[in-house]
C-alpha cells in the first residue's frame, strides 16, 4: 500500500518550490508524478460593453493558451534530468471551470502536493485549486509551506476530533503513518459526552497499532482561542515534521468568514499538513 500516482497543479511559472516538493515526494514513494499545467482565463464578461466580450474573450484565451504552453515547456525542461517517472499535460480553463478540471485529475491520484494557498507569493488560483482537489477530487492533499525537506514524516502528529473528516485523513495518510518513527494522536479539549467519552483517541490508537503504527495519545486542554495555534505549538514542542488533519469540518463559506482550523492551518502552518475529507 502506498502512493503510486502523485499530482501537482501549476498555474504560475513561479511555483518552483511546489514542483520541487512534488518531485521529492515522488522519489520518496517511488511513484509516478503527474504535473498539470493550467492557463486560467479570468475574464468577466459583465465588465465590458455590449459586443466587446467576444474580442476580449479571444484575446484572454490566447494569452491563457500561451501561458499554459510556456509553463508546460518549463516543467519538461525541469523534469528531463530527474530519475523519476513523470508526465506533463496542460489545459486552459475559464476561472469558473477550473474546479472541474482539477477535480477530475485529483480524483484518479493517490496524493496531491501543493503549496499553501494563502500568504505572500501564493498564486491567485491556489485557493481554488486546493479546494477543488479536496472537494471535487476527494483526494488527500499534502500542503507544503515551502519546499519539502528531508527528514520528513518521522514524527507525525494527528489532529483528532472524532470527525469523519479526521478519520478520512488518517486512512489516507496510512502509508506515511506506517513509515513514521512515531505518531502522536493529539486530542484538544474532548467532550466528556462525545462518542469516545472517557477514552478519547483510544479506538484510533488501537486501529493504527494493528497496522504497525507506533502511536500514542496526548490529550490537551484548550489554552488558546484558536485550535490551529494549539496544534502549531504542540508540533513545535514534540518536534513533529508533519501534521494529519481533516479538512473543512465546517462549510467553506463559514470558515472563509468566521475562520476555522482548516483555513487557519492553510495560512499559518509551518510544517507539511496532509488534509482530506
Amino acid at each position: 500500500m502506498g502512493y503510486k500516482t502523485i499530482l501537482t497543479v501549476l498555474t504560475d511559472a513561479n511555483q518552483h518550490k511546489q514542483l520541487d516538493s512534488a518531485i521529492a515526494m515522488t522519489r520518496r514513494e517511488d511513484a509516478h508524478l503527474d504535473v498539470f499545467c493550467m492557463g486560467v482565463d479570468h475574464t468577466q464578461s459583465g465588465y465590458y460593453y455590449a459586443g466587446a466580450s467576444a474580442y476580449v474573450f479571444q484575446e484572454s484565451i490566447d494569452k491563457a493558451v500561451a501561458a499554459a504552453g510556456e509553463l508546460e515547456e518549463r516543467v519538461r525542461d525541469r523534469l528531463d534530468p530527474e530519475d523519476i517517472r513523470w508526465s506533463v499535460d496542460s489545459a486552459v480553463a475559464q476561472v469558473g471551470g477550473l474546479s472541474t478540471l482539477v477535480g477530475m485529475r485529483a480524483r484518479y491520484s493517490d496524493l496531491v502536493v501543493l503549496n499553501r494557498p494563502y500568504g505572500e507569493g501564493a498564486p491567485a488560483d491556489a485557493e481554488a485549486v486546493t479546494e477543488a482537489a479536496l472537494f471535487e477530487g476527494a483526494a488527500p492533499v499534502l500542503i507544503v509551506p515551502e519546499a519539502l525537506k528531508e527528514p520528513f514524516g518521522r514524527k507525525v502528529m494527528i489532529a483528532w476530533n472524532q470527525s469523519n473528516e479526521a478519520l478520512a485523513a488518517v486512512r489516507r495518510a496510512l502509508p506515511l503513518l506506517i513509515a513514521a518513527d512515531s505518531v502522536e494522536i493529539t486530542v484538544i479539549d474532548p467532550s466528556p459526552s462525545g462518542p469516545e467519552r472517557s477514552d478519547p483517541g483510544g479506538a484510533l490508537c488501537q486501529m493504527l497499532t494493528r497496522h504497525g503504527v507506533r502511536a500514542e495519545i496526548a490529550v490537551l486542554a484548550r489554552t488558546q482561542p484558536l485550535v490551529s495555534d494549539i496544534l502549531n505549538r504542540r508540533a513545535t514542542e514534540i518536534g513533529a515534521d508533519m501534521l494529519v488533519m481533516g479538512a473543512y469540518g465546517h462549510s467553506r463559506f463559514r470558515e472563509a468568514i468566521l475562520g476555522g482550523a482548516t483555513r487557519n492551518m492553510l495560512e499559518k502552518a509551518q510544517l507539511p499538513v496532509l488534509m482530506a475529507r
Side-chain angles (χ1 to χ4, degrees), residues 1 11 14 22 31 59-60 80-81 84 126 129 133 139 146 168 170 173 181 196 216 253 266:
M1 180 181 180
T11 60
N14 294 320
E59 182 180 0
S60 183
D80 270 337
I84 60 172
V129 169
E146 294 291 337
V170 170
D181 294 336
E196 296 184 349
E216 58 186 18
F253 177 77
L266 286 172

Side-chain angles (χ1 to χ4, degrees), residues 181-197:
D181 294 336
S182 62
V183 173
E184 179 181 287
I185 302 168
T186 305
V187 187
I188 299 173
D189 194 22
S191 171
S193 59
E196 296 184 349
R197 300 189 179 179

Side-chain angles (χ1 to χ4, degrees), residues 188-251:
I188 299 173
D189 194 22
S191 171
S193 59
E196 296 184 349
R197 300 189 179 179
S198 62
D199 187 24
L204 177 63
C205 187
Q206 182 183 68
M207 183 191 86
L208 293 177
T209 300
R210 288 173 179 168
H211 280 280
V213 178
R214 293 166 285 278
E216 58 186 18
I217 303 169
V219 180
L220 309 179
R222 184 162 185 169
T223 56
Q224 294 178 270
L226 298 180
V227 171
S228 56
D229 289 342
I230 301 174
L231 293 173
N232 279 323
R233 184 182 66 185
R234 181 62 180 175
T236 301
E237 289 174 352
I238 67 174
D241 53 26
M242 190 181 82
L243 173 67
V244 175
M245 66 180 292
Y248 292 107
H250 302 297
S251 70

Side-chain angles (χ1 to χ4, degrees), residues 38-56:
M38 294 196 69
V40 183
D41 170 24
H42 294 93
T43 305
Q44 300 294 328
S45 59
Y47 295 159
Y48 302 98
Y49 60 84
S53 295
Y55 298 100
V56 174

